[in-house]
Amino acid sequence: MKFIGMFLKLIGSVIKTAVILAICSSILFIAYKGNQPMQVPQAPKGMTYFDFIADRIDAAKTVEPSRCGWGMMLSLVALGPIYSFVYTEVGIHPDGFLARGTSSDPDIPKDVAGAKWYEVPGIWWNTVERLSWTMVGKPAAYGCKFRQVRVQIYPDP
């Protein structure tokens, strides 16, 4: 009986350690990628994702925040992770269950079908960047009219 208890404690500590490592490595990955130049073609050369988000927060302050500025930013925070996961899955498995129920969208990754497991985080991050640009970076023809992304001179990496 004592052996089973020790074994279950060992499994519990291994799972707890794996979860902590997964969370820490995810934070480090996002911190690293967020400080790299964006891969979105329309983004100013050298602009990082964190620079982009800071610029969009500043832009949200210039529109009527009670009308839509902060609502757009909140929709990015609330819907961005869901859409980025779904679009990454659809891009990697174009014949899968989610792909059958997902409308065509230019933000769905192309040419990534059957990607290896270690390529998925990079594909996901590129999808996050594209979705963020689509949601709050493009000048809108209707609704919230954020100012254009400020072009600054960003240092070459």
Side-chain angles (χ1 to χ4, degrees), residues 33-114:
K33 293 299 273 185
N35 282 301
Q36 299 300 308
M38 289 179 68
Q39 301 300 309
V40 177
Q42 302 90 342
K45 188 176 192 285
M47 179 181 236
T48 69
Y49 185 76
F50 294 143
D51 292 335
F52 170 71
I53 293 300
D55 181 75
R56 299 293 78 199
I57 289 171
D58 186 53
K61 294 175 186 174
T62 63
V63 297
E64 295 177 41
S66 61
R67 186 173 60 102
C68 66
W70 293 113
M72 290 296 290
M73 295 307 292
L74 290 173
S75 71
L76 173 64
V77 170
L79 298 176
I82 296 167
Y83 276 104
S84 62
F85 169 78
V86 170
Y87 283 10
T88 300
E89 173 62 23
V90 167
I92 293 171
H93 300 106
D95 298 324
F97 174 76
L98 284 176
R100 289 191 293 270
T102 304
S103 298
S104 177
D105 191 304
D107 290 325
I108 294 174
K110 309 286 187 261
D111 303 322
V112 295

Coordinates of all heavy atoms in Angstrom, one line a residue, residues 33-114:
K33 N 9.4 35.7 -29.2 CA 8.8 36.0 -30.5 C 8.2 37.4 -30.6 O 8.2 38.0 -31.6 CB 7.7 34.9 -30.9 CG 8.2 33.5 -31.1 CD 9.2 33.5 -32.3 CE 8.5 33.3 -33.6 NZ 9.4 33.1 -34.7
G34 N 7.6 37.8 -29.4 CA 7.0 39.1 -29.4 C 8.0 40.3 -29.5 O 7.7 41.4 -29.9
N35 N 9.3 40.0 -29.3 CA 10.4 40.9 -29.5 C 11.1 40.8 -30.8 O 12.1 41.5 -31.0 CB 11.4 40.9 -28.3 CG 10.8 41.5 -27.1 OD1 10.5 42.7 -27.1 ND2 10.7 40.8 -26.0
Q36 N 10.7 39.9 -31.7 CA 11.3 39.7 -33.0 C 10.4 40.6 -34.0 O 9.3 40.8 -33.8 CB 11.2 38.3 -33.4 CG 12.0 37.4 -32.5 CD 13.5 37.7 -32.4 OE1 14.1 37.9 -33.5 NE2 14.0 37.9 -31.2
P37 N 11.0 41.0 -35.1 CA 10.3 41.7 -36.1 C 9.1 40.9 -36.6 O 9.2 39.7 -36.8 CB 11.3 41.9 -37.3 CG 12.6 41.9 -36.6 CD 12.4 40.9 -35.5
M38 N 7.9 41.6 -36.8 CA 6.7 40.9 -37.3 C 6.9 40.3 -38.7 O 7.7 40.9 -39.5 CB 5.5 41.8 -37.2 CG 5.1 42.2 -35.8 SD 3.7 43.3 -35.8 CE 2.4 42.3 -36.5
Q39 N 6.2 39.2 -39.0 CA 6.3 38.6 -40.3 C 5.1 39.0 -41.2 O 5.0 38.5 -42.3 CB 6.3 37.1 -40.1 CG 7.4 36.5 -39.3 CD 8.8 36.9 -39.9 OE1 9.0 36.6 -41.1 NE2 9.6 37.4 -39.1
V40 N 4.3 40.0 -40.8 CA 3.2 40.5 -41.6 C 3.8 41.4 -42.6 O 4.5 42.4 -42.2 CB 2.2 41.2 -40.7 CG1 1.0 41.8 -41.5 CG2 1.6 40.2 -39.6
P41 N 3.5 41.2 -43.9 CA 4.1 42.0 -44.9 C 3.8 43.5 -44.8 O 4.6 44.4 -45.1 CB 3.6 41.5 -46.2 CG 3.1 40.1 -45.9 CD 2.7 40.1 -44.5
Q42 N 2.6 43.8 -44.3 CA 2.1 45.2 -44.2 C 2.7 46.0 -43.1 O 2.7 47.2 -43.0 CB 0.6 45.3 -44.1 CG -0.1 44.7 -45.3 CD -0.5 43.2 -45.0 OE1 0.1 42.6 -44.2 NE2 -1.4 42.7 -45.8
A43 N 3.3 45.2 -42.1 CA 3.9 45.8 -40.9 C 5.1 46.6 -41.3 O 5.9 46.2 -42.1 CB 4.2 44.8 -39.8
P44 N 5.4 47.7 -40.6 CA 6.6 48.4 -40.9 C 7.8 47.5 -40.6 O 7.8 46.7 -39.6 CB 6.6 49.6 -39.9 CG 5.1 49.8 -39.5 CD 4.5 48.4 -39.6
K45 N 8.8 47.7 -41.4 CA 10.0 46.8 -41.3 C 10.7 47.0 -40.0 O 10.9 48.1 -39.5 CB 11.0 47.2 -42.4 CG 12.2 46.2 -42.5 CD 13.1 46.7 -43.7 CE 14.1 45.6 -44.1 NZ 15.2 45.4 -43.3
G46 N 10.9 45.9 -39.3 CA 11.5 45.9 -38.0 C 10.6 46.0 -36.8 O 11.0 45.9 -35.7
M47 N 9.3 46.3 -37.0 CA 8.4 46.5 -35.9 C 8.1 45.1 -35.3 O 7.8 44.2 -35.9 CB 7.1 47.1 -36.5 CG 6.0 47.3 -35.4 SD 4.5 47.9 -36.1 CE 4.3 49.4 -35.1
T48 N 8.3 45.1 -33.9 CA 8.0 43.9 -33.2 C 6.5 43.8 -32.8 O 5.8 44.8 -32.9 CB 8.8 43.9 -31.9 OG1 8.3 44.9 -31.0 CG2 10.3 44.0 -32.1
Y49 N 6.1 42.7 -32.4 CA 4.7 42.5 -32.0 C 4.3 43.4 -30.8 O 3.3 44.0 -30.8 CB 4.4 41.0 -31.7 CG 2.9 40.8 -31.4 CD1 2.0 40.7 -32.5 CD2 2.5 40.6 -30.1 CE1 0.6 40.5 -32.2 CE2 1.1 40.3 -29.9 CZ 0.2 40.3 -30.9 OH -1.1 40.1 -30.6
F50 N 5.2 43.5 -29.9 CA 5.0 44.3 -28.7 C 4.9 45.8 -29.0 O 4.1 46.5 -28.5 CB 6.0 44.0 -27.6 CG 5.9 42.6 -27.0 CD1 7.1 41.9 -26.7 CD2 4.7 42.0 -26.8 CE1 7.0 40.6 -26.1 CE2 4.6 40.7 -26.3 CZ 5.8 40.0 -25.9
D51 N 5.8 46.2 -30.0 CA 5.7 47.6 -30.5 C 4.3 47.8 -31.2 O 3.7 48.9 -31.0 CB 6.8 47.9 -31.6 CG 8.2 47.9 -31.0 OD1 8.3 48.2 -29.8 OD2 9.1 47.7 -31.8
F52 N 3.9 46.8 -31.9 CA 2.6 46.9 -32.6 C 1.4 47.1 -31.6 O 0.6 47.9 -31.7 CB 2.4 45.7 -33.5 CG 1.0 45.5 -34.0 CD1 0.5 46.4 -35.0 CD2 0.1 44.5 -33.6 CE1 -0.8 46.2 -35.5 CE2 -1.1 44.4 -34.1 CZ -1.6 45.2 -35.1
I53 N 1.4 46.2 -30.6 CA 0.4 46.3 -29.5 C 0.4 47.6 -28.8 O -0.6 48.2 -28.5 CB 0.5 45.1 -28.6 CG1 0.2 43.7 -29.3 CG2 -0.4 45.2 -27.4 CD1 -1.2 43.7 -29.9
A54 N 1.6 48.1 -28.5 CA 1.7 49.4 -27.8 C 1.1 50.5 -28.7 O 0.4 51.4 -28.2 CB 3.1 49.7 -27.4
D55 N 1.4 50.4 -30.0 CA 0.9 51.4 -30.9 C -0.6 51.3 -31.0 O -1.3 52.3 -31.1 CB 1.5 51.2 -32.3 CG 1.0 52.2 -33.3 OD1 1.5 53.4 -33.2 OD2 0.2 51.8 -34.1
R56 N -1.2 50.1 -31.0 CA -2.6 49.9 -31.1 C -3.3 50.4 -29.8 O -4.4 50.9 -29.9 CB -3.0 48.5 -31.4 CG -2.4 48.0 -32.8 CD -3.0 48.7 -34.0 NE -2.5 50.0 -34.2 CZ -3.0 50.9 -35.0 NH1 -4.2 50.7 -35.6 NH2 -2.5 52.1 -35.2
I57 N -2.7 50.2 -28.7 CA -3.3 50.7 -27.4 C -3.3 52.2 -27.5 O -4.3 52.8 -27.1 CB -2.5 50.2 -26.2 CG1 -2.8 48.7 -26.0 CG2 -2.9 50.9 -25.0 CD1 -1.9 48.0 -25.0
D58 N -2.3 52.8 -28.0 CA -2.2 54.3 -28.1 C -3.3 54.7 -29.1 O -4.0 55.7 -28.9 CB -0.8 54.7 -28.6 CG -0.7 56.2 -28.6 OD1 -1.0 56.9 -27.6 OD2 -0.3 56.8 -29.7
A59 N -3.5 54.0 -30.2 CA -4.5 54.3 -31.2 C -5.9 54.2 -30.6 O -6.8 54.9 -30.9 CB -4.4 53.4 -32.4
A60 N -6.1 53.2 -29.7 CA -7.4 53.0 -29.1 C -7.8 54.2 -28.2 O -8.9 54.5 -28.1 CB -7.4 51.7 -28.2
K61 N -6.8 54.9 -27.7 CA -7.0 56.1 -26.9 C -7.5 57.3 -27.7 O -8.1 58.2 -27.2 CB -5.7 56.5 -26.1 CG -5.3 55.5 -25.1 CD -4.0 55.8 -24.5 CE -3.5 54.8 -23.5 NZ -2.1 55.1 -23.0
T62 N -7.2 57.3 -29.0 CA -7.5 58.4 -29.8 C -8.9 58.4 -30.4 O -9.4 59.4 -30.8 CB -6.5 58.6 -31.0 OG1 -6.6 57.4 -31.8 CG2 -5.1 58.7 -30.5
V63 N -9.5 57.2 -30.5 CA -10.9 57.1 -30.9 C -11.7 57.2 -29.7 O -11.2 57.2 -28.6 CB -11.2 55.8 -31.7 CG1 -10.4 55.7 -33.0 CG2 -10.9 54.6 -30.9
E64 N -13.0 57.3 -29.9 CA -13.9 57.4 -28.7 C -13.9 56.0 -28.0 O -14.5 55.1 -28.4 CB -15.3 57.7 -29.1 CG -15.5 59.0 -29.8 CD -16.9 59.2 -30.3 OE1 -17.9 58.8 -29.6 OE2 -17.1 59.7 -31.4
P65 N -13.1 56.0 -26.9 CA -12.9 54.7 -26.2 C -14.2 54.1 -25.7 O -14.4 52.9 -25.8 CB -12.0 55.0 -25.0 CG -11.3 56.2 -25.4 CD -12.3 57.0 -26.3
S66 N -15.2 54.9 -25.3 CA -16.4 54.3 -24.8 C -17.2 53.7 -26.0 O -18.0 52.9 -25.8 CB -17.2 55.4 -24.1 OG -17.5 56.4 -25.0
R67 N -16.9 54.2 -27.2 CA -17.7 53.7 -28.3 C -17.1 52.4 -28.9 O -17.8 51.4 -29.1 CB -17.7 54.7 -29.5 CG -18.6 54.4 -30.6 CD -18.7 55.5 -31.6 NE -17.4 55.9 -32.1 CZ -16.9 55.6 -33.3 NH1 -17.6 54.9 -34.1 NH2 -15.7 56.0 -33.7
C68 N -15.8 52.4 -29.1 CA -15.2 51.2 -29.7 C -13.8 50.9 -29.5 O -13.3 49.8 -29.7 CB -15.5 51.1 -31.2 SG -14.6 52.4 -32.1
G69 N -13.0 51.9 -29.1 CA -11.5 51.7 -29.1 C -11.1 50.6 -28.2 O -10.4 49.6 -28.6
W70 N -11.6 50.6 -26.9 CA -11.2 49.5 -26.0 C -11.9 48.2 -26.4 O -11.4 47.1 -26.1 CB -11.4 49.9 -24.6 CG -10.5 51.0 -24.2 CD1 -10.8 52.3 -23.9 CD2 -9.0 51.0 -24.2 NE1 -9.7 53.0 -23.7 CE2 -8.6 52.2 -23.8 CE3 -8.1 49.9 -24.4 CZ2 -7.2 52.5 -23.7 CZ3 -6.8 50.2 -24.3 CH2 -6.3 51.5 -23.9
G71 N -13.1 48.3 -26.9 CA -13.8 47.1 -27.4 C -13.1 46.3 -28.4 O -13.0 45.1 -28.4
M72 N -12.4 47.0 -29.3 CA -11.6 46.3 -30.3 C -10.4 45.6 -29.7 O -10.1 44.5 -30.0 CB -11.1 47.3 -31.4 CG -12.2 47.9 -32.3 SD -12.9 46.6 -33.3 CE -11.6 46.2 -34.4
M73 N -9.8 46.3 -28.7 CA -8.6 45.7 -28.1 C -9.1 44.5 -27.2 O -8.4 43.5 -27.2 CB -7.9 46.7 -27.2 CG -7.3 47.9 -28.0 SD -6.1 47.3 -29.3 CE -4.8 46.6 -28.3
L74 N -10.2 44.6 -26.6 CA -10.7 43.5 -25.8 C -11.1 42.3 -26.7 O -11.0 41.2 -26.3 CB -11.9 44.0 -24.9 CG -11.5 44.9 -23.7 CD1 -12.8 45.4 -23.0 CD2 -10.6 44.2 -22.8
S75 N -11.7 42.6 -27.8 CA -12.0 41.5 -28.7 C -10.8 40.8 -29.2 O -10.8 39.6 -29.4 CB -12.8 42.0 -29.9 OG -12.1 42.8 -30.8
L76 N -9.7 41.6 -29.4 CA -8.4 40.9 -29.8 C -7.9 40.0 -28.7 O -7.5 38.9 -28.9 CB -7.3 42.0 -30.1 CG -5.9 41.5 -30.3 CD1 -5.9 40.6 -31.6 CD2 -5.0 42.6 -30.4
V77 N -8.0 40.5 -27.4 CA -7.6 39.7 -26.3 C -8.5 38.4 -26.1 O -8.0 37.3 -25.8 CB -7.6 40.5 -25.0 CG1 -7.4 39.7 -23.8 CG2 -6.5 41.6 -25.1
A78 N -9.8 38.6 -26.3 CA -10.7 37.5 -26.0 C -10.8 36.5 -27.2 O -10.8 35.3 -27.0 CB -12.1 38.1 -25.8
L79 N -10.9 37.0 -28.4 CA -11.1 36.2 -29.6 C -9.8 35.8 -30.3 O -9.7 34.7 -30.9 CB -12.0 36.9 -30.6 CG -13.4 37.2 -30.1 CD1 -14.2 37.9 -31.1 CD2 -14.1 35.9 -29.7
G80 N -8.7 36.6 -30.1 CA -7.5 36.3 -30.8 C -6.9 34.9 -30.5 O -6.6 34.1 -31.4
P81 N -6.8 34.5 -29.2 CA -6.3 33.2 -28.9 C -7.2 32.0 -29.5 O -6.6 31.0 -29.9 CB -6.3 33.1 -27.4 CG -6.2 34.5 -27.0 CD -7.0 35.3 -28.0
I82 N -8.5 32.2 -29.5 CA -9.3 31.1 -30.0 C -9.2 31.0 -31.5 O -9.0 29.9 -32.0 CB -10.8 31.5 -29.6 CG1 -11.0 31.4 -28.1 CG2 -11.8 30.5 -30.3 CD1 -12.3 32.0 -27.6
Y83 N -9.3 32.1 -32.2 CA -9.1 32.1 -33.6 C -7.7 31.6 -34.1 O -7.6 30.8 -35.0 CB -9.4 33.5 -34.2 CG -10.8 33.8 -34.5 CD1 -11.5 34.6 -33.7 CD2 -11.5 33.2 -35.6 CE1 -12.9 34.9 -33.9 CE2 -12.8 33.5 -35.8 CZ -13.5 34.3 -34.9 OH -14.8 34.6 -35.2
S84 N -6.7 32.0 -33.3 CA -5.3 31.6 -33.7 C -5.2 30.1 -33.6 O -4.6 29.4 -34.4 CB -4.3 32.3 -32.9 OG -4.4 32.1 -31.6
F85 N -5.8 29.5 -32.5 CA -5.7 28.1 -32.3 C -6.5 27.4 -33.5 O -6.0 26.4 -34.1 CB -6.3 27.7 -31.0 CG -6.5 26.2 -30.9 CD1 -5.4 25.3 -30.6 CD2 -7.8 25.6 -31.0 CE1 -5.6 24.0 -30.5 CE2 -8.0 24.3 -30.9 CZ -6.9 23.4 -30.7
V86 N -7.7 27.8 -33.7 CA -8.6 27.2 -34.7 C -7.9 27.3 -36.1 O -7.8 26.3 -36.9 CB -10.0 27.8 -34.7 CG1 -10.8 27.3 -36.0 CG2 -10.7 27.4 -33.5
Y87 N -7.4 28.5 -36.5 CA -6.8 28.7 -37.8 C -5.5 27.9 -38.0 O -5.3 27.4 -39.0 CB -6.6 30.2 -38.0 CG -7.8 31.0 -38.4 CD1 -9.1 30.4 -38.3 CD2 -7.7 32.3 -38.8 CE1 -10.2 31.2 -38.6 CE2 -8.8 33.0 -39.1 CZ -10.1 32.5 -39.0 OH -11.2 33.2 -39.3
T88 N -4.8 27.8 -36.9 CA -3.5 27.0 -37.0 C -3.9 25.5 -37.2 O -3.3 24.8 -38.1 CB -2.7 27.1 -35.7 OG1 -2.3 28.5 -35.5 CG2 -1.4 26.3 -35.8
E89 N -4.9 25.0 -36.5 CA -5.4 23.6 -36.6 C -5.9 23.4 -38.0 O -5.6 22.4 -38.7 CB -6.4 23.3 -35.6 CG -7.1 22.0 -35.7 CD -6.2 20.8 -35.6 OE1 -5.1 20.9 -35.0 OE2 -6.5 19.7 -36.1
V90 N -6.7 24.3 -38.6 CA -7.2 24.2 -39.9 C -6.1 24.2 -41.0 O -6.1 23.4 -41.9 CB -8.3 25.3 -40.2 CG1 -8.6 25.4 -41.7 CG2 -9.5 25.1 -39.3
G91 N -5.1 25.0 -40.8 CA -4.0 25.1 -41.7 C -3.2 23.8 -41.7 O -2.8 23.3 -42.8
I92 N -3.0 23.2 -40.6 CA -2.2 22.0 -40.4 C -3.0 20.8 -40.9 O -2.4 19.8 -41.5 CB -1.6 21.8 -39.0 CG1 -0.6 22.9 -38.7 CG2 -1.0 20.5 -38.8 CD1 -0.2 23.0 -37.3
H93 N -4.3 20.8 -40.6 CA -5.1 19.6 -41.0 C -6.3 20.2 -41.8 O -7.4 20.3 -41.3 CB -5.7 18.9 -39.7 CG -4.6 18.4 -38.8 ND1 -4.3 19.0 -37.6 CD2 -3.8 17.3 -39.0 CE1 -3.3 18.3 -37.1 NE2 -2.9 17.3 -37.9
P94 N -6.0 20.5 -43.1 CA -7.1 21.1 -43.9 C -8.3 20.2 -44.2 O -9.3 20.6 -44.7 CB -6.3 21.4 -45.2 CG -5.1 20.6 -45.2 CD -4.8 20.3 -43.8
D95 N -8.1 18.9 -44.0 CA -9.3 18.0 -44.2 C -9.9 17.5 -42.8 O -10.7 16.6 -42.8 CB -8.8 16.7 -44.9 CG -8.3 17.1 -46.3 OD1 -8.9 18.0 -46.9 OD2 -7.3 16.5 -46.8
G96 N -9.5 18.1 -41.7 CA -9.9 17.7 -40.4 C -11.3 18.2 -40.1 O -12.0 19.0 -40.8
F97 N -11.7 17.9 -38.9 CA -13.1 18.3 -38.4 C -13.3 19.8 -38.3 O -14.3 20.3 -38.8 CB -13.3 17.6 -37.0 CG -14.5 18.1 -36.3 CD1 -15.7 17.5 -36.7 CD2 -14.5 19.0 -35.3 CE1 -16.9 17.9 -36.1 CE2 -15.7 19.4 -34.7 CZ -16.9 18.9 -35.1
L98 N -12.3 20.5 -37.7 CA -12.4 21.9 -37.6 C -12.5 22.6 -39.0 O -13.1 23.6 -39.2 CB -11.3 22.5 -36.8 CG -11.5 22.4 -35.3 CD1 -10.2 22.9 -34.6 CD2 -12.7 23.0 -34.8
A99 N -11.7 22.1 -40.0 CA -11.6 22.7 -41.3 C -13.0 22.6 -42.0 O -13.4 23.5 -42.8 CB -10.6 22.0 -42.1
R100 N -13.7 21.5 -41.8 CA -15.0 21.3 -42.4 C -16.0 22.4 -41.9 O -17.0 22.7 -42.6 CB -15.6 19.9 -42.2 CG -14.8 18.9 -43.0 CD -15.5 17.5 -42.9 NE -15.5 17.0 -41.6 CZ -14.6 16.1 -41.1 NH1 -13.6 15.8 -41.8 NH2 -14.7 15.6 -39.9
G101 N -15.8 22.9 -40.7 CA -16.8 23.9 -40.2 C -16.3 25.3 -40.1 O -16.9 26.2 -39.5
T102 N -15.1 25.5 -40.8 CA -14.5 26.9 -40.7 C -14.6 27.5 -42.1 O -14.2 26.9 -43.1 CB -13.0 26.8 -40.3 OG1 -13.0 26.1 -39.0 CG2 -12.4 28.1 -40.1
S103 N -15.0 28.7 -42.2 CA -15.1 29.5 -43.4 C -13.6 29.8 -43.9 O -12.7 29.9 -43.1 CB -15.8 30.8 -43.3 OG -17.1 30.5 -42.9
S104 N -13.5 30.0 -45.2 CA -12.2 30.3 -45.8 C -11.8 31.7 -45.2 O -12.7 32.6 -45.1 CB -12.3 30.3 -47.3 OG -11.1 30.8 -47.8
D105 N -10.6 31.9 -44.9 CA -10.1 33.2 -44.4 C -8.7 33.4 -44.8 O -7.9 32.4 -44.7 CB -10.2 33.2 -42.9 CG -10.0 34.6 -42.3 OD1 -8.9 35.2 -42.5 OD2 -10.9 35.0 -41.5
P106 N -8.3 34.6 -45.2 CA -6.9 34.8 -45.6 C -5.9 34.6 -44.5 O -4.7 34.5 -44.7 CB -6.9 36.2 -46.2 CG -8.1 36.8 -45.8 CD -9.1 35.7 -45.5
D107 N -6.4 34.7 -43.2 CA -5.5 34.5 -42.1 C -5.2 33.1 -41.8 O -4.3 32.8 -40.9 CB -6.0 35.3 -40.9 CG -6.0 36.8 -41.0 OD1 -5.0 37.3 -41.7 OD2 -6.9 37.4 -40.6
I108 N -5.8 32.1 -42.4 CA -5.5 30.7 -42.2 C -4.2 30.4 -42.8 O -4.0 30.8 -44.0 CB -6.6 29.8 -42.7 CG1 -7.9 30.1 -41.9 CG2 -6.2 28.3 -42.7 CD1 -9.1 29.3 -42.5
P109 N -3.2 29.8 -42.1 CA -1.9 29.5 -42.7 C -2.0 28.7 -43.9 O -2.8 27.7 -44.0 CB -1.2 28.8 -41.6 CG -2.0 28.9 -40.4 CD -3.4 29.3 -40.8
K110 N -1.2 29.0 -44.9 CA -1.2 28.3 -46.2 C 0.1 27.4 -46.2 O 1.1 27.7 -45.6 CB -1.2 29.2 -47.4 CG -2.2 30.3 -47.4 CD -3.6 29.7 -47.7 CE -4.6 30.8 -47.8 NZ -5.5 31.0 -46.7
D111 N 0.0 26.3 -46.9 CA 1.2 25.5 -47.2 C 1.8 24.9 -45.9 O 3.1 24.8 -45.8 CB 2.3 26.2 -48.0 CG 1.7 26.7 -49.4 OD1 0.9 26.0 -50.0 OD2 2.1 27.8 -49.8
V112 N 1.0 24.6 -44.9 CA 1.6 24.1 -43.7 C 0.9 22.7 -43.3 O 1.2 22.2 -42.3 CB 1.4 25.0 -42.5 CG1 2.2 26.3 -42.7 CG2 -0.1 25.3 -42.2
A113 N 0.2 22.2 -44.3 CA -0.5 20.9 -44.0 C 0.5 19.8 -43.7 O 1.6 19.7 -44.3 CB -1.3 20.5 -45.3
G114 N 0.2 19.1 -42.6 CA 1.1 18.0 -42.2 C 2.4 18.5 -41.5 O 3.4 17.8 -41.5

